[in-house]
Amino acid sequence: MSALLTAFAPIWMLTAIGYAVGRGGLLGPGAEAVLGRFVFHVAMPAALFTMVSGARPGAFANPSMVAFAAGTALACGLGFLLSGRLFGRGTADRAIGGMVSGYVNSANLGIPVAVQVLGDASFVAQIILFQVLLVSPVILTLLDSGTESGAGAGGSAVLRRMLTMPVRNPIILASLLGLAVSALGLRLPHALAHSCELLGSAAVPTALIALGLSLHTRPADGEATPTGGSGPGRAGTVLAVALKTVFQPLIAFAVGGPLLGLPGPQLLAVVLCSALPAAQNAFIYAQQYGLDTRAPRDAVVASTVVSMATLSLATWALGTFGT
């Protein structure tokens, strides 16, 4: 438990600092939007480029990743489907609903948890690549097609927007550039690599500060959202948290255990990483696409709290396999 507390402490502290800053009005009324744009357009692309350019994309082609990917696909897919069926959300909001249901906080929480509990963060690196290179582009494409800029467009316009997505979206563009550098075996000049690394290191803390700011500026229940809806409310948060912290790790366990027969330590790694809470990227994505940020924000905060119990339970239940 102490290891988990150590891993979670920075998340809570930075979010609390963001709330305190917002409550004190230190950064002005537009701080949340400005910080969100900085993360989405500058810091996060730098972090992803640095991460992908120094990694091997083929690293996630293994049975453990198959089990993790199965849990992710089913959780995201079910979150996307139920957000529309139960709450009548549009395509873009359903994409965010799917994201908070299955996109794990792999970087700033997954790495310390893996190091503390598993003693090795190599599997988390594979998860980061999987989410950046495969999951994020799908989510961003749905967001693009479901917002005003993509809605109502003709067939040729939709195709044109999909084809130009990598150029227009800084997250995808940075990931593809990093993939190209990795595939070509290029080594960036030290000054450039260090600058990208330094800039990218601001992504996570700034996103958490923005998340904390949003907690202070929370709209009242029933207040109109940017897309004109009222939001799924508590029921949507409960659904997303249940899918993220319970359903996803259970699917990963079922696929990795009975179906694939993974060894104990690998099964523990898959289930533990699948039980990680929702990533704050969902809040940033919703903010930048002009969507209702209440649902992703509440799901990120609630899943972070609940995952303390589910991560502890997974470690206790499966930890004996790793001995």
Side-chain angles (χ1 to χ4, degrees), residues 184-222:
L184 295 174
L186 301 178
R187 294 191 62 181
L188 298 177
H190 175 73
L192 176 59
H194 183 64
S195 297
C196 290
E197 183 179 354
L198 188 63
L199 182 59
S201 64
V204 169
T206 307
L208 291 173
I209 294 294
L211 182 64
L213 285 169
S214 74
L215 293 174
H216 172 67
T217 57
R218 176 172 185 161
D221 289 339

Coordinates of all heavy atoms in Angstrom, one line a residue, residues 184-222:
L184 N 13.9 4.7 -39.0 CA 15.1 5.0 -39.8 C 16.3 4.9 -39.0 O 17.4 5.0 -39.5 CB 15.0 6.4 -40.4 CG 13.9 6.6 -41.4 CD1 13.8 8.1 -41.8 CD2 14.1 5.7 -42.7
G185 N 16.2 4.6 -37.7 CA 17.4 4.5 -36.8 C 18.2 5.8 -36.7 O 19.4 5.7 -36.5
L186 N 17.5 6.9 -36.8 CA 18.2 8.2 -36.7 C 18.5 8.6 -35.2 O 17.7 8.2 -34.3 CB 17.3 9.3 -37.3 CG 17.0 9.1 -38.8 CD1 16.1 10.3 -39.3 CD2 18.2 9.0 -39.7
R187 N 19.5 9.3 -35.0 CA 19.9 9.9 -33.7 C 19.8 11.4 -33.8 O 20.5 12.0 -34.6 CB 21.3 9.4 -33.3 CG 21.4 7.9 -33.0 CD 22.7 7.5 -32.3 NE 22.8 8.2 -31.0 CZ 23.8 8.1 -30.2 NH1 24.9 7.3 -30.6 NH2 23.8 8.7 -29.1
L188 N 18.9 11.9 -33.0 CA 18.8 13.4 -33.0 C 20.0 14.1 -32.4 O 20.6 13.5 -31.5 CB 17.5 13.8 -32.3 CG 16.2 13.3 -32.8 CD1 15.1 13.7 -31.9 CD2 16.0 13.8 -34.2
P189 N 20.3 15.3 -32.8 CA 21.4 16.1 -32.2 C 21.0 16.2 -30.7 O 19.8 16.4 -30.3 CB 21.4 17.4 -32.9 CG 20.8 17.1 -34.2 CD 19.8 16.0 -34.0
H190 N 22.0 16.2 -29.9 CA 21.8 16.3 -28.4 C 21.0 17.5 -28.0 O 20.0 17.4 -27.2 CB 23.1 16.3 -27.7 CG 23.0 16.4 -26.2 ND1 22.5 15.4 -25.4 CD2 23.2 17.5 -25.4 CE1 22.4 15.9 -24.1 NE2 22.8 17.1 -24.1
A191 N 21.3 18.6 -28.6 CA 20.6 19.9 -28.2 C 19.1 19.7 -28.6 O 18.2 20.2 -27.8 CB 21.2 21.1 -29.0
L192 N 18.7 19.2 -29.7 CA 17.3 19.0 -30.1 C 16.6 18.0 -29.2 O 15.5 18.2 -28.8 CB 17.3 18.6 -31.6 CG 15.8 18.3 -32.1 CD1 15.0 19.6 -32.0 CD2 15.9 17.9 -33.6
A193 N 17.3 16.9 -29.0 CA 16.7 15.8 -28.2 C 16.4 16.3 -26.8 O 15.4 16.0 -26.2 CB 17.6 14.6 -28.2
H194 N 17.4 17.0 -26.2 CA 17.3 17.5 -24.9 C 16.2 18.5 -24.8 O 15.4 18.6 -23.8 CB 18.6 18.0 -24.4 CG 18.6 18.5 -22.9 ND1 18.4 17.6 -21.9 CD2 18.7 19.7 -22.4 CE1 18.4 18.3 -20.7 NE2 18.6 19.6 -21.0
S195 N 16.1 19.4 -25.8 CA 15.0 20.4 -25.8 C 13.6 19.8 -25.8 O 12.7 20.2 -25.1 CB 15.2 21.3 -27.0 OG 16.5 22.0 -26.9
C196 N 13.5 18.8 -26.7 CA 12.2 18.1 -26.7 C 11.9 17.4 -25.4 O 10.7 17.4 -24.9 CB 12.2 17.0 -27.9 SG 12.2 17.8 -29.5
E197 N 12.9 16.7 -24.8 CA 12.7 16.1 -23.6 C 12.3 17.0 -22.5 O 11.4 16.8 -21.6 CB 13.9 15.3 -23.2 CG 13.8 14.5 -21.9 CD 15.1 13.7 -21.6 OE1 16.0 13.8 -22.4 OE2 15.1 13.1 -20.5
L198 N 13.0 18.2 -22.4 CA 12.7 19.2 -21.4 C 11.3 19.7 -21.6 O 10.5 19.9 -20.6 CB 13.7 20.3 -21.5 CG 13.7 21.4 -20.4 CD1 14.0 20.7 -19.1 CD2 14.7 22.5 -20.7
L199 N 10.9 20.0 -22.8 CA 9.6 20.6 -23.1 C 8.5 19.5 -22.8 O 7.5 19.8 -22.2 CB 9.5 21.0 -24.5 CG 8.1 21.6 -25.0 CD1 7.8 22.9 -24.2 CD2 8.2 22.0 -26.5
G200 N 8.8 18.3 -23.2 CA 7.8 17.2 -22.9 C 7.6 16.9 -21.5 O 6.5 16.5 -21.1
S201 N 8.6 17.2 -20.7 CA 8.4 16.9 -19.2 C 7.4 17.8 -18.6 O 6.9 17.6 -17.4 CB 9.8 17.0 -18.5 OG 10.2 18.4 -18.6
A202 N 7.0 18.9 -19.3 CA 6.0 19.8 -18.7 C 4.6 19.3 -19.0 O 3.6 19.9 -18.4 CB 6.2 21.2 -19.3
A203 N 4.4 18.3 -19.8 CA 3.1 17.9 -20.2 C 2.2 17.4 -19.1 O 1.1 17.9 -18.8 CB 3.2 16.9 -21.3
V204 N 2.8 16.4 -18.3 CA 2.0 15.8 -17.3 C 1.7 16.8 -16.1 O 0.5 16.9 -15.7 CB 2.7 14.5 -16.7 CG1 2.0 14.0 -15.5 CG2 2.7 13.4 -17.8
P205 N 2.7 17.5 -15.6 CA 2.3 18.4 -14.5 C 1.4 19.5 -14.9 O 0.5 19.9 -14.1 CB 3.7 18.9 -14.0 CG 4.6 18.6 -15.1 CD 4.1 17.4 -15.7
T206 N 1.5 20.0 -16.1 CA 0.7 21.1 -16.6 C -0.8 20.6 -16.8 O -1.7 21.3 -16.4 CB 1.2 21.7 -17.9 OG1 2.5 22.1 -17.7 CG2 0.3 22.9 -18.3
A207 N -0.9 19.3 -17.3 CA -2.2 18.8 -17.5 C -2.9 18.6 -16.1 O -4.1 18.8 -16.0 CB -2.1 17.4 -18.2
L208 N -2.2 18.2 -15.1 CA -2.7 18.0 -13.8 C -3.1 19.3 -13.2 O -4.2 19.4 -12.5 CB -1.8 17.2 -12.9 CG -1.5 15.8 -13.2 CD1 -0.4 15.2 -12.4 CD2 -2.8 14.9 -13.1
I209 N -2.3 20.3 -13.4 CA -2.7 21.7 -12.9 C -4.0 22.1 -13.6 O -4.9 22.7 -12.9 CB -1.6 22.7 -13.2 CG1 -0.3 22.4 -12.3 CG2 -2.0 24.1 -12.9 CD1 -0.5 22.5 -10.9
A210 N -4.1 21.9 -14.9 CA -5.3 22.3 -15.6 C -6.5 21.5 -15.1 O -7.6 22.0 -15.0 CB -5.1 22.0 -17.1
L211 N -6.3 20.2 -14.8 CA -7.4 19.4 -14.2 C -7.8 20.0 -12.9 O -9.0 20.0 -12.6 CB -6.9 17.9 -14.0 CG -7.9 16.9 -13.5 CD1 -9.0 16.8 -14.5 CD2 -7.2 15.6 -13.2
G212 N -6.9 20.4 -12.0 CA -7.2 21.0 -10.7 C -8.0 22.3 -10.9 O -8.9 22.6 -10.2
L213 N -7.5 23.1 -11.9 CA -8.2 24.3 -12.2 C -9.7 24.1 -12.5 O -10.6 24.8 -12.1 CB -7.6 25.1 -13.3 CG -6.2 25.8 -13.0 CD1 -5.6 26.2 -14.3 CD2 -6.5 27.0 -12.1
S214 N -9.9 23.0 -13.3 CA -11.3 22.7 -13.7 C -12.2 22.3 -12.6 O -13.4 22.5 -12.6 CB -11.3 21.6 -14.8 OG -11.0 20.3 -14.2
L215 N -11.6 21.8 -11.5 CA -12.4 21.4 -10.4 C -13.0 22.6 -9.7 O -14.1 22.6 -9.1 CB -11.6 20.6 -9.4 CG -11.1 19.2 -9.8 CD1 -10.2 18.6 -8.8 CD2 -12.3 18.3 -10.1
H216 N -12.2 23.7 -9.7 CA -12.7 24.9 -9.1 C -13.8 25.6 -9.9 O -14.7 26.2 -9.4 CB -11.6 25.9 -8.8 CG -12.0 27.3 -8.4 ND1 -12.6 27.5 -7.2 CD2 -12.0 28.5 -9.0 CE1 -12.9 28.7 -7.0 NE2 -12.6 29.4 -8.1
T217 N -13.6 25.5 -11.3 CA -14.6 26.2 -12.2 C -15.7 25.3 -12.6 O -16.3 25.4 -13.7 CB -13.8 26.7 -13.4 OG1 -13.2 25.6 -14.1 CG2 -12.8 27.7 -13.0
R218 N -16.0 24.3 -11.8 CA -17.0 23.3 -12.1 C -18.4 23.9 -12.4 O -18.9 24.6 -11.5 CB -17.1 22.2 -11.0 CG -18.2 21.2 -11.3 CD -18.2 20.1 -10.2 NE -19.1 19.1 -10.5 CZ -19.1 17.9 -10.0 NH1 -18.1 17.5 -9.2 NH2 -20.0 17.0 -10.3
P219 N -19.1 23.6 -13.5 CA -20.4 24.2 -13.8 C -21.4 23.6 -12.8 O -21.2 22.4 -12.4 CB -20.7 23.8 -15.2 CG -19.4 23.4 -15.8 CD -18.6 22.9 -14.7
A220 N -22.5 24.3 -12.5 CA -23.5 23.8 -11.7 C -24.3 22.7 -12.5 O -24.3 22.7 -13.7 CB -24.5 24.9 -11.3
D221 N -24.9 21.7 -11.7 CA -25.6 20.7 -12.4 C -26.7 21.3 -13.3 O -27.5 22.1 -12.8 CB -26.2 19.7 -11.3 CG -25.2 18.9 -10.6 OD1 -24.1 18.8 -11.2 OD2 -25.5 18.4 -9.5
G222 N -26.8 20.8 -14.5 CA -27.9 21.2 -15.4 C -27.4 22.4 -16.2 O -28.2 22.8 -17.1

